[in-house]
Amino acid sequence: MRKTVRATALLLSALMLLSLLVGCGGADSGVRIEQNGGSSSDKTYDGEVTEITFCNWGDNEEKKMFEEVFAAFETENPDIKVNYLFIPQSEYMTKLSAMAATNTLPDIGQMLEASTLEWAKNGMFVDTSDLYKNGKISDRLEAVTFDDTAKGTVGSSFISECYTLFYDKDYCTSMGVTVPSKVEDAWTWDEFVDACIHLTVDINGKHPDEEGFDASKIKVYAISDFPAEMLAINNGGGIFNEDCTEIWLDKKETIEAYQMVADLINKYHVMPSPASRSAIGGGNNVLLTGKVAMSYAGQFNLLWYKKYIENGMLNLGFGVGPVLKNYTVLTSGPAIVVFNQSEHKEEALRLMEYFYNTENILPQIQKGLWMPSDKAYYTDETKINEWLSGNPLYTDEYRTAVVDVMSECAHRDNMFKLYHYTEIYQLINMAMDQLWSGEKTAQEVIENDIMPKLRQIMEKEWNE
């Protein structure tokens, strides 16, 4: 599931809720509607053509990928024309909220995971349960499946993502560190910390365990970030239990894991504080800065690393992190939804089915942004080979550290389960700043600053 993306999703969802409360005016500011050309523009069709609008966010690379899918879909479905509503991610939920208020939503589009169940609860989407029952949408990974709501089924993400430990192979090798790429070979926590100490150096080349090490002038950090919630689950804890019916944030195992991550920053000095991480920069390409050796991030980062791999600027490795009681990775992936306001639901559902047929979007998946959400691509060797074979991006490490991990170690993120996900995680993340800065311990932050308020929010969640 993606630290910077999650933070953005939380902010956008908050804006969405505010927008719904106060109302909005027009929805066209900053939005580009583009009619897709594609190969079907040269195709004659004697029947009536229905135009539908698809919305999503992303950058130019992602935009091109969707345009490719629309062109292929139109070739196979000459009676449908897809208009593309491309909205900047920073404005996405605000724009959709404004359009919902004025009954001008598009026919179909992607939904940010953090907002999906809230909108589904309010009856904004067409119920897709029949598509799953009749097999038009094949079995998907449970790890990217949304809970059902009283207003119907959202279903699953059309693609999947999981946290991946990317690393700079050349730098790690030069420092004598071998990053494991199989769960059975994974580090213990102590081994992981030891490796991080070996990888971290200050401007004088000293490591954190050496006399004279200057923590204020670190040249290379071992790791750019570490998802604390994921480590807590790995340790037998988590923010909630599996079905979110109990709060586990104040469990001993959870508090211990959050403190372990904070210690990477403040005790061992092998990971930057949030402020230092921001100063490093690099965005999706943080390994290219030369200031970090490893980076826990969504597998989707492979799309942006791809060109640097191909031109020899980065020797990218795929690893697995430390194991405590088990190895766990969190997941993400947006669903494609048909909006209930659509006047062309039948045509929109055909486009939705097209996206959920993995064979139709396999060329886009192979560019590195996505992983399949279809179960068969993790259990059927023929389909796995269709996905991975012949692509230099997909190394042996990718198979064991990403594909096998997604199949065997994925844990369904809470955004697939909670209506009030945004409110809950804003509370937690804001309070945790005191932990990452070293002002308070994990126990102090969790027990005193989070739990009293979290209990109140969850009473509302459970009542709904």
Side-chain angles (χ1 to χ4, degrees), residues 230 233-234 296 326-330 405 409-411:
M230 197 167 82
I233 298 168
N234 188 330
Y296 250 127
N326 55 68
Y327 189 69
T328 302
V329 294
L330 288 171
V405 162
C409 308
H411 184 94

Side-chain angles (χ1 to χ4, degrees), residues 351-370:
L351 178 57
M352 179 184 183
E353 291 172 30
Y354 191 85
F355 270 102
Y356 277 83
N357 182 338
T358 302
E359 291 183 1
N360 293 333
I361 61 172
L362 197 57
Q364 287 70 41
I365 287 174
Q366 290 168 332
K367 292 182 180 182
L369 180 66
W370 301 330

Side-chain angles (χ1 to χ4, degrees), residues 123-151:
M124 301 301 293
F125 310 138
V126 171
D127 186 335
T128 60
S129 55
D130 284 348
L131 296 179
Y132 289 85
K133 291 175 183 176
N134 62 24
K136 288 187 176 180
I137 295 181
S138 58
D139 288 344
R140 319 310 279 194
L141 294 171
E142 183 181 353
V144 290
T145 297
F146 291 88
D147 280 357
D148 287 343
T149 73
K151 294 294 180 69

